[in-house]
Amino acid sequence: MKKRILTGDRPTGKLHLGHFAGSLKNRVELQDKYEQFIIVADVQALTDNFKTPEKVSQSVCEVVMDNLAVGLDPEKSTIFIQSGIPQIAELTVFFANLVTVSRLSRNPTVKAEIGEKNFGTSVPLGFFMYPVSQAADILFLNADLVPVGDDQLPHIEQTREIARSFNNIYGTVFNIPQALVGECPRLVGIYGNAKMSKSLGNCIYLSDSKEDLKKKVMKMFTDPNRIHSTDPGETESNPVFVYHRMFNPNKGEVTELAERYKKGAVGDIEVKEKLFFALNDFLEPIREKRRYYEERPNLVKEIINEGTKKARKEAEITMSRVKEAMGINYYGGNC
Ligand code: TRP
């Protein structure tokens, strides 16, 4: 039997090249080897967007279409919506008994996010405990592997602790899942000073038009210490070269440009123009596939509904095992 994978995204906007490099590319490869489930974590996205639910609801279809556009095949990967699985909320309540407030407050990712979001001392409970709900996402499916970026590792560790604790107290129901950390480091944004992130406005989106792509590439930062095109330049951390190495399939061209750049024998414009062509060639088939789905909203709806129905079936089975183990199956005539 194939091992089961769960991975997913918070729907808070369209997906960008950073998502592609960090997870989507990997997903497309994993779907042939594993039974893959992809969660669109709208309930989790609401934990820090609860005042603007439209931002979340408008992003759900975008995220699904971005996943389909890069090549996820709904015949191989089950895409489902978190809010369509009420058992996740039910499990979260049971799991909350197994986690202490002090344990949650030590989660480094949540700590960092609390700082970034300026919650101060007014941290919403829902946000504070989202790792418990993420444990329910993973455990209701009894996933074997969870492909994630390294910022998610504390959540997987928390999930494992919850699964062990549940199994010890009530009897074994849950598999202990494992994180699968991609080897790809986070992709830098177009200004080179931080990772690509929607909130920083430094993204190239998978759905960007040719014109937008051109504008963004032409205003990318390069080597900040190089003033004239005849100065020797640095290519290792130079974002234009980082993208060339990742997205330009013409390795000969990349090596040749880098050699000239290091000697001060090529201008930024030429390097950027070549990057624009490479990125446009990379994005064009993705845009085309996205257009196919954009023109067929009913097909997208059907993919979402079928995927969520399939995940819900799994949730019903797990939930009845959970209630049986906890001895709370009296509702319905077992008194
Ligand atoms: N927390 C993840 C993120 O921010 C999204 C997510 C929600 C997730 N539930 C999950 C990832 C379950 C893997 C498994 O990207």
Side-chain angles (χ1 to χ4, degrees):
M1 253 198 12
K2 280 187 182 170
K3 285 197 173 176
R4 183 174 285 182
I5 278 191
L6 172 72
T7 186
D9 312 285
R10 292 182 191 177
T12 55
K14 294 176 174 189
L15 302 184
H16 50 62
L17 288 182
H19 292 113
F20 182 85
S23 55
L24 298 174
K25 180 170 184 266
N26 200 25
R27 275 179 207 175
V28 175
E29 287 160 14
L30 292 171
Q31 70 180 345
D32 291 317
K33 278 198 256 153
Y34 297 96
E35 185 194 9
Q36 179 161 255
F37 285 78
I38 307 214
I39 185 168
V40 182
D42 58 342
V43 177
Q44 185 177 118
L46 280 170
T47 63
D48 61 330
N49 291 286
F50 56 91
K51 288 184 185 157
T52 49
E54 64 285 349
K55 177 174 157 195
V56 175
S57 56
Q58 285 163 6
S59 302
V60 167
C61 276
E62 302 291 347
V63 166
V64 172
M65 285 194 289
D66 284 329
N67 271 282
L68 294 168
V70 297
L72 283 168
D73 175 351
E75 298 289 322
K76 297 180 188 166
S77 296
T78 305
I79 303 176
F80 69 99
I81 312 293
Q82 189 183 18
S83 59
I85 317 289
Q87 290 87 348
I88 292 177
E90 210 177 351
L91 265 185
T92 302
V93 174
F94 294 146
F95 288 170
N97 296 329
L98 309 177
V99 185
T100 64
V101 172
S102 69
R103 171 68 182 85
L104 273 175
S105 50
R106 286 196 301 271
N107 183 310
T109 299
V110 174
K111 255 196 209 167
E113 286 171 319
I114 286 172
E116 281 161 26
K117 292 172 204 301
N118 293 319
F119 283 139
T121 52
S122 307
V123 184
L125 179 58
F127 184 81
F128 181 66
M129 64 178 280
Y130 88 75
V132 180
S133 139
Q134 186 157 333
D137 299 341
I138 296 167
L139 295 177
F140 93 84
L141 275 169
N142 260 318
D144 299 293
L145 296 170
V146 189
V148 283
D150 52 9
D151 62 315
Q152 298 291 303
L153 287 177
H155 305 340
I156 310 303
E157 194 43 45
Q158 178 70 81
T159 302
R160 291 160 60 85
E161 285 174 29
I162 289 173
R164 283 196 208 101
S165 171
F166 186 99
N167 289 350
N168 281 336
I169 299 171
Y170 305 111
T172 301
V173 169
F174 296 112
N175 193 25
I176 313 296
Q178 267 183 336
L180 193 68
V181 183
E183 63 243 46
C184 173
R186 305 202 149 238
L187 187 68
V188 69
I190 59 172
Y191 303 122
N193 56 339
K195 66 169 188 167
M196 193 175 277
S197 156
K198 182 174 45 88
S199 55
L200 300 175
N202 60 3
C203 300
I204 292 176
Y205 291 96
L206 295 172
S207 48
D208 274 349
S209 67
K210 191 173 175 178
E211 293 69 33
D212 287 344
L213 175 68
K214 176 122 198 197
K215 275 189 221 142
K216 289 183 184 181
V217 171
M218 295 322 277
K219 68 179 186 193
M220 277 182 78
F221 282 24
T222 56
D223 175 355
N225 298 318
R226 193 171 105 124
I227 300 168
H228 308 290
S229 60
T230 48
D231 296 344
E234 195 278 325
T235 57
E236 209 42 50
S237 62
N238 182 328
V240 175
F241 279 97
V242 171
Y243 292 13
H244 259 301
R245 288 192 294 270
M246 176 131 356
F247 296 103
N248 188 345
N250 186 346
K251 300 295 165 215
E253 177 174 274
V254 178
T255 311
E256 189 254 347
L257 281 175
E259 289 311 317
R260 284 167 60 208
Y261 200 84
K262 282 187 231 165
K263 287 195 289 216
V266 64
D268 279 1
I269 305 271
E270 182 182 343
V271 183
K272 287 182 180 182
E273 268 171 356
K274 292 205 162 116
L275 177 63
F276 162 68
F277 287 123
L279 276 178
N280 196 53
D281 284 350
F282 167 77
L283 287 178
E284 189 44 37
I286 296 177
R287 288 188 200 117
E288 197 178 314
K289 201 147 195 193
R290 203 176 197 283
R291 264 196 302 276
Y292 174 88
Y293 286 106
E294 280 167 357
E295 284 161 8
R296 292 167 180 77
N298 285 336
L299 175 60
V300 177
K301 242 183 249 166
E302 195 184 305
I303 290 168
I304 292 175
N305 289 346
E306 285 304 309
T308 307
K309 215 156 78 187
K310 187 171 158 197
R312 205 181 302 129
K313 272 210 188 97
E314 299 287 329
E316 281 162 10
I317 295 168
T318 303
M319 215 54 223
S320 70
R321 290 179 62 210
V322 163
K323 290 190 174 170
E324 175 98 34
M326 295 177 75
I328 51 172
N329 46 0
Y330 27 79
Y331 178 75
N334 285 329
C335 277

